[in-house]
Amino acid sequence: MEEHERDGTKVRRYFRWAPGARRDLSILVLLGIAVAGYGGTTGTASSGGPGSRSRPTSTATYPVHFEGWDDPAPTPRPTVSYPIRFDTR
């Protein structure tokens, strides 16, 4: 509000919050602090000093072998033993 006079009394300039704006702003600030606090810390960064990281180890076994590679491909077998006629005449 700008400076004005009310009933002959000089009223200084002041700012008036909208109803509920202080609560909304405080929730937004707390949410921002929580996100910054949660996103800023990681488990690996604070787990030790420089050079304390362990090297990854290989879990693969060579030569790679998948089941079914050594077995011959199955031969197709007919599902019925009688001839099926596709002529509709």
Side-chain angles (χ1 to χ4, degrees):
M1 301 288 296
E2 295 295 323
E3 186 175 311
H4 63 281
E5 280 193 31
R6 174 184 271 176
D7 299 330
T9 307
K10 186 175 180 181
V11 179
R12 292 184 302 175
R13 180 179 177 181
Y14 64 94
F15 179 77
R16 182 181 295 175
W17 287 82
R22 288 182 192 218
R23 179 181 167 272
D24 293 346
L25 183 62
S26 63
I27 290 172
L28 182 65
V29 167
L30 290 175
L31 182 65
I33 290 171
V35 167
Y38 180 74
T41 60
T42 59
T44 58
S46 62
S47 63
S52 66
R53 294 183 186 179
S54 62
R55 294 190 157 269
T57 58
S58 176
T59 58
T61 56
Y62 295 99
V64 177
H65 178 75
F66 294 99
E67 292 181 27
W69 274 11
D70 298 331
D71 299 333
T75 57
R77 291 185 297 166
T79 56
V80 294
S81 60
Y82 54 89
I84 299 173
R85 301 184 74 192
F86 290 101
D87 295 352
T88 56
R89 289 196 234 168

PDB file of all heavy atoms in Angstrom, residues 1-2 4 6 11 13-19 21-22:
ATOM      1  N   MET A   1       0.848  -1.166   0.000  1.00  0.00           N
ATOM      2  CA  MET A   1       0.000   0.000   0.000  1.00  0.00           C
ATOM      3  C   MET A   1       0.901   1.238   0.000  1.00  0.00           C
ATOM      4  O   MET A   1       1.912   1.270   0.680  1.00  0.00           O
ATOM      5  CB  MET A   1      -0.890   0.017   1.238  1.00  0.00           C
ATOM      6  CG  MET A   1      -1.815  -1.175   1.397  1.00  0.00           C
ATOM      7  SD  MET A   1      -3.198  -1.225   0.271  1.00  0.00           S
ATOM      8  CE  MET A   1      -4.114   0.202   0.710  1.00  0.00           C
ATOM      9  N   GLU A   2       0.497   2.186  -0.765  1.00  0.00           N
ATOM     10  CA  GLU A   2       1.251   3.432  -0.846  1.00  0.00           C
ATOM     11  C   GLU A   2       0.948   4.299   0.375  1.00  0.00           C
ATOM     12  O   GLU A   2      -0.016   4.082   1.110  1.00  0.00           O
ATOM     13  CB  GLU A   2       0.877   4.186  -2.130  1.00  0.00           C
ATOM     14  CG  GLU A   2       1.270   3.468  -3.408  1.00  0.00           C
ATOM     15  CD  GLU A   2       2.770   3.327  -3.554  1.00  0.00           C
ATOM     16  OE1 GLU A   2       3.515   4.252  -3.170  1.00  0.00           O
ATOM     17  OE2 GLU A   2       3.196   2.274  -4.042  1.00  0.00           O
ATOM     18  N   HIS A   4      -0.526   7.150   2.515  1.00  0.00           N
ATOM     19  CA  HIS A   4      -1.784   7.883   2.367  1.00  0.00           C
ATOM     20  C   HIS A   4      -2.225   8.418   3.739  1.00  0.00           C
ATOM     21  O   HIS A   4      -1.586   8.143   4.755  1.00  0.00           O
ATOM     22  CB  HIS A   4      -2.863   6.980   1.770  1.00  0.00           C
ATOM     23  CG  HIS A   4      -3.231   5.806   2.618  1.00  0.00           C
ATOM     24  ND1 HIS A   4      -2.472   4.676   2.675  1.00  0.00           N
ATOM     25  CD2 HIS A   4      -4.293   5.596   3.460  1.00  0.00           C
ATOM     26  CE1 HIS A   4      -3.026   3.804   3.495  1.00  0.00           C
ATOM     27  NE2 HIS A   4      -4.141   4.358   3.994  1.00  0.00           N
ATOM     28  N   ARG A   6      -5.415   8.627   6.509  1.00  0.00           N
ATOM     29  CA  ARG A   6      -6.686   8.041   6.914  1.00  0.00           C
ATOM     30  C   ARG A   6      -7.163   8.764   8.165  1.00  0.00           C
ATOM     31  O   ARG A   6      -6.486   8.754   9.182  1.00  0.00           O
ATOM     32  CB  ARG A   6      -6.514   6.553   7.201  1.00  0.00           C
ATOM     33  CG  ARG A   6      -7.792   5.928   7.776  1.00  0.00           C
ATOM     34  CD  ARG A   6      -7.614   4.505   8.152  1.00  0.00           C
ATOM     35  NE  ARG A   6      -7.924   3.685   6.995  1.00  0.00           N
ATOM     36  CZ  ARG A   6      -7.810   2.385   6.949  1.00  0.00           C
ATOM     37  NH1 ARG A   6      -7.331   1.735   7.985  1.00  0.00           N
ATOM     38  NH2 ARG A   6      -8.139   1.712   5.893  1.00  0.00           N
ATOM     39  N   VAL A  11      -0.497   7.546   7.099  1.00  0.00           N
ATOM     40  CA  VAL A  11      -0.197   6.118   7.129  1.00  0.00           C
ATOM     41  C   VAL A  11       0.994   5.872   6.219  1.00  0.00           C
ATOM     42  O   VAL A  11       1.003   6.290   5.068  1.00  0.00           O
ATOM     43  CB  VAL A  11      -1.405   5.275   6.657  1.00  0.00           C
ATOM     44  CG1 VAL A  11      -1.082   3.800   6.662  1.00  0.00           C
ATOM     45  CG2 VAL A  11      -2.624   5.573   7.510  1.00  0.00           C
ATOM     46  N   ARG A  13       3.851   3.764   4.043  1.00  0.00           N
ATOM     47  CA  ARG A  13       3.777   2.745   3.001  1.00  0.00           C
ATOM     48  C   ARG A  13       4.070   1.376   3.625  1.00  0.00           C
ATOM     49  O   ARG A  13       4.977   1.239   4.445  1.00  0.00           O
ATOM     50  CB  ARG A  13       4.819   3.094   1.945  1.00  0.00           C
ATOM     51  CG  ARG A  13       4.878   2.177   0.808  1.00  0.00           C
ATOM     52  CD  ARG A  13       5.928   2.669  -0.162  1.00  0.00           C
ATOM     53  NE  ARG A  13       6.034   1.726  -1.246  1.00  0.00           N
ATOM     54  CZ  ARG A  13       6.861   1.834  -2.241  1.00  0.00           C
ATOM     55  NH1 ARG A  13       7.679   2.860  -2.302  1.00  0.00           N
ATOM     56  NH2 ARG A  13       6.883   0.949  -3.180  1.00  0.00           N
ATOM     57  N   TYR A  14       3.290   0.352   3.245  1.00  0.00           N
ATOM     58  CA  TYR A  14       3.517  -0.998   3.760  1.00  0.00           C
ATOM     59  C   TYR A  14       3.083  -2.026   2.715  1.00  0.00           C
ATOM     60  O   TYR A  14       2.438  -1.710   1.726  1.00  0.00           O
ATOM     61  CB  TYR A  14       2.774  -1.224   5.074  1.00  0.00           C
ATOM     62  CG  TYR A  14       1.264  -1.163   4.967  1.00  0.00           C
ATOM     63  CD1 TYR A  14       0.517  -2.317   4.784  1.00  0.00           C
ATOM     64  CD2 TYR A  14       0.579   0.048   5.069  1.00  0.00           C
ATOM     65  CE1 TYR A  14      -0.852  -2.270   4.692  1.00  0.00           C
ATOM     66  CE2 TYR A  14      -0.789   0.103   4.971  1.00  0.00           C
ATOM     67  CZ  TYR A  14      -1.509  -1.045   4.779  1.00  0.00           C
ATOM     68  OH  TYR A  14      -2.859  -1.001   4.682  1.00  0.00           O
ATOM     69  N   PHE A  15       3.477  -3.259   2.956  1.00  0.00           N
ATOM     70  CA  PHE A  15       3.161  -4.355   2.049  1.00  0.00           C
ATOM     71  C   PHE A  15       2.205  -5.300   2.743  1.00  0.00           C
ATOM     72  O   PHE A  15       2.404  -5.676   3.897  1.00  0.00           O
ATOM     73  CB  PHE A  15       4.451  -5.108   1.660  1.00  0.00           C
ATOM     74  CG  PHE A  15       4.209  -6.265   0.743  1.00  0.00           C
ATOM     75  CD1 PHE A  15       3.968  -6.059  -0.603  1.00  0.00           C
ATOM     76  CD2 PHE A  15       4.209  -7.555   1.225  1.00  0.00           C
ATOM     77  CE1 PHE A  15       3.736  -7.115  -1.452  1.00  0.00           C
ATOM     78  CE2 PHE A  15       3.975  -8.623   0.381  1.00  0.00           C
ATOM     79  CZ  PHE A  15       3.736  -8.412  -0.962  1.00  0.00           C
ATOM     80  N   ARG A  16       1.172  -5.715   2.038  1.00  0.00           N
ATOM     81  CA  ARG A  16       0.186  -6.625   2.616  1.00  0.00           C
ATOM     82  C   ARG A  16       0.207  -7.935   1.824  1.00  0.00           C
ATOM     83  O   ARG A  16       0.066  -7.956   0.612  1.00  0.00           O
ATOM     84  CB  ARG A  16      -1.199  -6.010   2.540  1.00  0.00           C
ATOM     85  CG  ARG A  16      -2.252  -6.894   3.157  1.00  0.00           C
ATOM     86  CD  ARG A  16      -3.616  -6.296   3.055  1.00  0.00           C
ATOM     87  NE  ARG A  16      -3.669  -5.069   3.838  1.00  0.00           N
ATOM     88  CZ  ARG A  16      -4.718  -4.261   3.865  1.00  0.00           C
ATOM     89  NH1 ARG A  16      -5.781  -4.521   3.159  1.00  0.00           N
ATOM     90  NH2 ARG A  16      -4.697  -3.177   4.600  1.00  0.00           N
ATOM     91  N   TRP A  17       0.399  -9.050   2.546  1.00  0.00           N
ATOM     92  CA  TRP A  17       0.377 -10.364   1.919  1.00  0.00           C
ATOM     93  C   TRP A  17      -1.065 -10.761   1.606  1.00  0.00           C
ATOM     94  O   TRP A  17      -1.983 -10.429   2.339  1.00  0.00           O
ATOM     95  CB  TRP A  17       0.951 -11.412   2.867  1.00  0.00           C
ATOM     96  CG  TRP A  17       2.439 -11.347   3.031  1.00  0.00           C
ATOM     97  CD1 TRP A  17       3.128 -10.523   3.848  1.00  0.00           C
ATOM     98  CD2 TRP A  17       3.393 -12.132   2.339  1.00  0.00           C
ATOM     99  NE1 TRP A  17       4.463 -10.748   3.719  1.00  0.00           N
ATOM    100  CE2 TRP A  17       4.659 -11.742   2.796  1.00  0.00           C
ATOM    101  CE3 TRP A  17       3.306 -13.135   1.384  1.00  0.00           C
ATOM    102  CZ2 TRP A  17       5.825 -12.315   2.332  1.00  0.00           C
ATOM    103  CZ3 TRP A  17       4.468 -13.702   0.929  1.00  0.00           C
ATOM    104  CH2 TRP A  17       5.707 -13.297   1.392  1.00  0.00           C
ATOM    105  N   ALA A  18      -1.232 -11.503   0.541  1.00  0.00           N
ATOM    106  CA  ALA A  18      -2.550 -12.040   0.216  1.00  0.00           C
ATOM    107  C   ALA A  18      -2.900 -13.111   1.246  1.00  0.00           C
ATOM    108  O   ALA A  18      -2.007 -13.732   1.831  1.00  0.00           O
ATOM    109  CB  ALA A  18      -2.542 -12.634  -1.182  1.00  0.00           C
ATOM    110  N   PRO A  19      -4.169 -13.357   1.476  1.00  0.00           N
ATOM    111  CA  PRO A  19      -4.541 -14.388   2.451  1.00  0.00           C
ATOM    112  C   PRO A  19      -3.981 -15.758   2.043  1.00  0.00           C
ATOM    113  O   PRO A  19      -4.175 -16.217   0.922  1.00  0.00           O
ATOM    114  CB  PRO A  19      -6.063 -14.397   2.411  1.00  0.00           C
ATOM    115  CG  PRO A  19      -6.448 -13.070   1.858  1.00  0.00           C
ATOM    116  CD  PRO A  19      -5.338 -12.668   0.951  1.00  0.00           C
ATOM    117  N   ALA A  21      -0.871 -16.527   1.595  1.00  0.00           N
ATOM    118  CA  ALA A  21       0.376 -16.463   0.832  1.00  0.00           C
ATOM    119  C   ALA A  21       1.587 -16.798   1.697  1.00  0.00           C
ATOM    120  O   ALA A  21       2.527 -17.429   1.214  1.00  0.00           O
ATOM    121  CB  ALA A  21       0.543 -15.084   0.219  1.00  0.00           C
ATOM    122  N   ARG A  22       1.597 -16.413   2.939  1.00  0.00           N
ATOM    123  CA  ARG A  22       2.730 -16.729   3.816  1.00  0.00           C
ATOM    124  C   ARG A  22       2.853 -18.240   4.018  1.00  0.00           C
ATOM    125  O   ARG A  22       3.939 -18.801   3.985  1.00  0.00           O
ATOM    126  CB  ARG A  22       2.578 -16.043   5.173  1.00  0.00           C
ATOM    127  CG  ARG A  22       2.791 -14.566   5.086  1.00  0.00           C
ATOM    128  CD  ARG A  22       2.673 -13.946   6.450  1.00  0.00           C
ATOM    129  NE  ARG A  22       2.597 -12.503   6.303  1.00  0.00           N
ATOM    130  CZ  ARG A  22       3.161 -11.646   7.116  1.00  0.00           C
ATOM    131  NH1 ARG A  22       3.818 -12.079   8.158  1.00  0.00           N
ATOM    132  NH2 ARG A  22       3.060 -10.361   6.907  1.00  0.00           N
TER     133      ARG A  22
END
